Amino acid sequence: PLIASVEGWAVGAGLSVALACDSIVCGAGARFAAGFGKVGLLADLGQLHTLPARIGWGRARQILMFGQVVEAE
């Protein structure tokens, strides 16, 4: 199994790499965001597949379209 350890920000490709792991362990200050939409790009590194698989299509759309920040809590 692959385990991602996130402490601080995981944005863009960093979020994609964390999502590709089997489990994610987060510090108290961890924050996740998909910043691709803010610069007019499409998410890469499989994020369009792995994010909805973990959190569902509705929440994934909100994060990808609006660039919402998700905190570790």
Side-chain angles (χ1 to χ4, degrees):
L2 296 173
I3 301 172
S5 175
V6 178
E7 192 167 325
W9 286 88
V11 180
L15 175 60
S16 296
V17 171
L19 289 171
C21 294
D22 298 312
S23 182
I24 303 173
V25 178
C26 305
R31 288 174 173 67
F32 302 91
F36 298 104
K38 291 186 176 186
V39 293
L41 297 174
L42 184 64
D44 62 356
L45 293 173
Q47 194 175 95
L48 295 177
H49 172 74
T50 55
L51 186 61
R54 284 194 183 253
I55 64 172
W57 282 102
R59 183 78 172 123
R61 285 184 184 130
Q62 288 178 337
I63 291 171
L64 292 169
M65 287 193 291
F66 305 126
Q68 291 180 334
V69 176
V70 179
E71 296 187 11
E73 298 173 356

